[in-house]
Amino acid sequence: MELTMYDKLLQLPLFQGMSKFDFTDILEKVKIHFNKYEPGSCLVRQDTPCNQLIFVLDGEVQIESNDKTHKYTLWENFKSPNVIEPYSLFGMRPYFTASYTAVTEVNTLNIDKSYILNELCRYEVFNLNYMNMLSNRSQVIYNKLWNAHIGKTRDKIINFLLLRCMTPYGAKKLSIRMEDLARLIDDTRINVSNVLNDLQNRGLIQLGRRTFSIPELREVVQLLDKKD
Amino acid sequence: MELTMYDKLLQLPLFQGMSKFDFTDILEKVKIHFNKYEPGSCLVRQDTPCNQLIFVLDGEVQIESNDKTHKYTLWENFKSPNVIEPYSLFGMRPYFTASYTAVTEVNTLNIDKSYILNELCRYEVFNLNYMNMLSNRSQVIYNKLWNAHIGKTRDKIINFLLLRCMTPYGAKKLSIRMEDLARLIDDTRINVSNVLNDLQNRGLIQLGRRTFSIPELREVVQLLDKKD
């Protein structure tokens, strides 16, 4: 493993701040798998058990969250370096909450759960990074919960997205029937249709069949609470 | 420290599953503070830094969460054994999200953050308990987020409570002006007033001045999605 690879690994969430010395030590004890995914191939399927940490070293990944009960699917993307659902490895629901597919060529580093607890968590920096990451996630979501206020139709649609998206920025896509979205936000189909068409006219979303795409969620979020 | 005290400590969240041997070892290395609180005295104030784990060994504690921006306050209680906000010790918002007051006489065991990371997290059982607890919290809240659907006025009020309460059962109290609650759930004051009066007539809540009390949230939650 050349120096640049080390540097890349030390940029990964959870490994940040570790010394190269510790990292060499880890590589001797921990079994690490490197995987390569072609564009379009699936890294992880929603609702399958999460029993490893998957670090995305290179490339872009699409997240697909499907709510079967309420009949909609949400897509967003993320780029390397990143780690897939570190909050799904422990706890009472150790299953992936979404599916992850390679958009570009993707390289990953995978470590089994047993090594995380028995070896990696013995390193104070790694353990602190993990504790911080888990705590931060619940703090961010808790904050969302308390601020999940309801407004007019447009605000309700924006809040629906903000509550469910990993990040409040970047491209998103939602596949849902207008009547289902209207039902979920307790509004009428005609109001939902008017708001979505207005957003399309402003160039902020693209409407498709049972689908709409948002090139940049941040620009839509800026409309929150505006009168017009 | 007598045997019964050990047994009590080993029942605490985070210590469950540890051996008495490990626990004796911990007690030699870790500075532990025991505190006693009289009924009505405050253990922790909302928005103050969280730099210790506070284990509630005996007694009942009231949680008070105040949302200054949206002008309401929510109360609920919990009983020992418990630990106060283990998810606020790490992460980017290491502040208590609520105030905690003794309802009965309360005994606590406090451990500073430095000992948690440097000593306690070295014990695999403790660390696993902590990881599970943090992961579980984000899983529970994430699940709430995705299921935070909007319905008619009564459903919206119940959802408002469910999103914000620690537990979906037990006694709760909310101090809020009817017009503020109506605004937060995007409904009219008269609809909110009608629903709250109907719930009072059913014996499920007690209305006070700018306040309502719920003896058992579970019974109110059972009304969700019912037509009448």
Side-chain angles (χ1 to χ4, degrees):
Chain A
M1 186 180 287
E2 77 258 49
L3 196 68
T4 53
M5 187 58 172
Y6 261 115
D7 291 333
K8 185 178 277 182
L9 294 178
L10 290 172
Q11 277 176 13
L12 287 173
L14 297 178
F15 289 116
Q16 277 174 32
M18 290 192 92
S19 67
K20 285 191 186 179
F21 177 80
D22 280 348
F23 212 80
T24 315
D25 203 34
I26 287 172
L27 291 176
E28 281 170 10
K29 287 185 267 177
V30 174
K31 215 177 192 170
I32 287 181
H33 307 272
F34 289 94
N35 288 335
K36 177 174 274 190
Y37 297 87
E38 295 303 314
S41 61
C42 182
L43 284 74
V44 157
R45 272 192 208 292
Q46 186 175 339
D47 298 324
T48 57
C50 174
N51 41 34
Q52 55 180 347
L53 282 184
I54 303 170
F55 295 90
V56 178
L57 302 174
D58 298 288
E60 190 171 348
V61 172
Q62 185 186 60
I63 315 174
E64 178 181 324
S65 309
N66 177 243
D67 186 331
K68 276 182 197 159
T69 316
H70 303 101
K71 296 174 192 162
Y72 64 89
T73 306
L74 180 69
W75 290 270
E76 27 184 351
N77 287 10
F78 72 82
K79 284 183 178 145
S80 63
N82 218 320
V83 54
I84 296 178
E85 298 195 20
Y87 41 84
S88 296
L89 192 65
F90 298 99
M92 288 171 61
R93 290 191 192 91
Y95 299 91
F96 289 105
T97 64
S99 299
Y100 297 79
T101 305
V103 176
T104 60
E105 187 174 273
V106 165
N107 289 302
T108 68
L109 178 166
N110 299 17
I111 304 176
D112 280 349
K113 183 170 178 172
S114 58
Y115 290 110
I116 303 295
L117 201 67
N118 299 334
E119 299 293 345
L120 283 165
C121 283
R122 291 186 195 275
Y123 294 87
E124 199 176 304
V125 173
F126 182 92
N127 206 43
L128 178 59
N129 285 344
Y130 210 151
M131 293 287 198
N132 275 328
M133 189 177 270
L134 293 177
S135 302
N136 202 44
R137 176 163 168 93
S138 55
Q139 288 159 12
V140 167
I141 315 185
Y142 181 80
N143 205 36
K144 276 193 191 184
L145 274 186
W146 275 70
N147 286 295
H149 300 121
I150 302 164
K152 299 300 161 203
T153 311
R154 193 173 67 195
D155 291 350
K156 289 196 278 189
I157 294 173
I158 298 175
N159 277 327
F160 182 90
L161 290 165
L162 280 179
L163 285 184
R164 288 156 180 83
C165 287
M166 293 279 285
T167 55
Y169 51 81
K172 316 285 172 187
K173 196 171 90 175
L174 185 67
S175 164
I176 193 166
R177 288 177 359 169
M178 283 206 199
E179 45 268 55
D180 287 334
L181 180 54
R183 193 173 36 78
L184 289 171
I185 64 169
D186 190 44
D187 213 314
T188 62
R189 193 196 172 289
I190 190 75
N191 279 349
V192 168
S193 170
N194 286 343
V195 165
L196 294 182
N197 278 296
D198 173 59
L199 291 174
Q200 177 164 253
N201 292 338
R202 290 163 183 254
L204 297 175
I205 73 168
Q206 280 122 38
L207 282 170
R209 197 174 161 274
R210 288 192 184 179
T211 297
F212 61 94
S213 306
I214 306 164
E216 179 49 74
L217 181 60
R218 206 191 316 251
E219 289 178 20
V220 181
V221 171
Q222 285 172 352
L223 296 177
L224 263 182
D225 291 323
K226 280 196 186 164
K227 290 288 170 228
D228 60 315
Chain B
M1 188 180 288
E2 77 259 47
L3 196 68
T4 52
M5 186 57 172
Y6 263 114
D7 292 332
K8 184 177 277 181
L9 294 178
L10 291 172
Q11 279 176 11
L12 287 173
L14 297 178
F15 290 115
Q16 277 175 31
M18 290 192 94
S19 67
K20 284 191 187 180
F21 178 79
D22 279 348
F23 211 80
T24 316
D25 202 36
I26 287 172
L27 292 176
E28 282 169 9
K29 287 186 267 175
V30 174
K31 214 177 193 168
I32 288 181
H33 307 272
F34 289 95
N35 288 335
K36 179 173 273 192
Y37 297 87
E38 295 303 315
S41 61
C42 181
L43 283 74
V44 156
R45 272 192 208 292
Q46 186 176 338
D47 298 324
T48 57
C50 174
N51 41 34
Q52 55 180 347
L53 282 183
I54 303 170
F55 296 90
V56 178
L57 301 174
D58 299 289
E60 190 172 347
V61 173
Q62 185 186 61
I63 315 173
E64 178 181 324
S65 309
N66 176 243
D67 186 331
K68 276 182 196 158
T69 317
H70 303 101
K71 295 176 191 161
Y72 64 89
T73 307
L74 180 69
W75 291 269
E76 29 185 348
N77 288 9
F78 72 84
K79 284 184 179 142
S80 64
N82 217 320
V83 54
I84 295 179
E85 299 194 20
Y87 39 83
S88 296
L89 193 63
F90 298 99
M92 287 171 61
R93 290 191 192 92
Y95 298 90
F96 289 105
T97 64
S99 299
Y100 297 79
T101 306
V103 177
T104 61
E105 189 175 89
V106 165
N107 289 304
T108 67
L109 178 165
N110 300 15
I111 305 176
D112 281 348
K113 182 170 178 171
S114 59
Y115 290 109
I116 302 296
L117 200 67
N118 299 333
E119 299 293 344
L120 284 165
C121 284
R122 292 186 194 275
Y123 294 87
E124 199 175 306
V125 174
F126 182 92
N127 206 44
L128 179 60
N129 285 344
Y130 210 151
M131 293 288 197
N132 276 327
M133 188 176 271
L134 292 178
S135 303
N136 202 45
R137 176 163 169 93
S138 54
Q139 288 158 13
V140 167
I141 316 186
Y142 182 79
N143 206 36
K144 277 193 190 184
L145 273 187
W146 275 71
N147 287 296
H149 301 121
I150 301 164
K152 300 299 162 202
T153 311
R154 192 174 66 195
D155 291 351
K156 288 197 278 190
I157 294 173
I158 298 174
N159 277 327
F160 182 90
L161 290 165
L162 280 179
L163 285 184
R164 287 157 181 82
C165 287
M166 292 278 285
T167 56
Y169 51 83
K172 316 285 170 187
K173 196 171 90 174
L174 184 67
S175 164
I176 192 166
R177 289 180 356 173
M178 284 208 199
E179 46 268 53
D180 286 334
L181 180 55
R183 192 173 36 78
L184 289 172
I185 64 169
D186 190 42
D187 214 314
T188 62
R189 192 195 173 289
I190 190 77
N191 279 349
V192 168
S193 169
N194 286 344
V195 164
L196 293 180
N197 278 295
D198 172 59
L199 291 174
Q200 178 163 253
N201 292 339
R202 292 163 182 253
L204 296 175
I205 72 168
Q206 280 122 39
L207 282 170
R209 195 173 162 276
R210 288 192 183 179
T211 296
F212 61 94
S213 305
I214 306 164
E216 180 48 76
L217 182 61
R218 205 190 317 251
E219 289 179 21
V220 181
V221 171
Q222 283 171 354
L223 297 176
L224 262 183
D225 291 323
K226 278 195 186 163
K227 291 287 173 230
D228 62 312

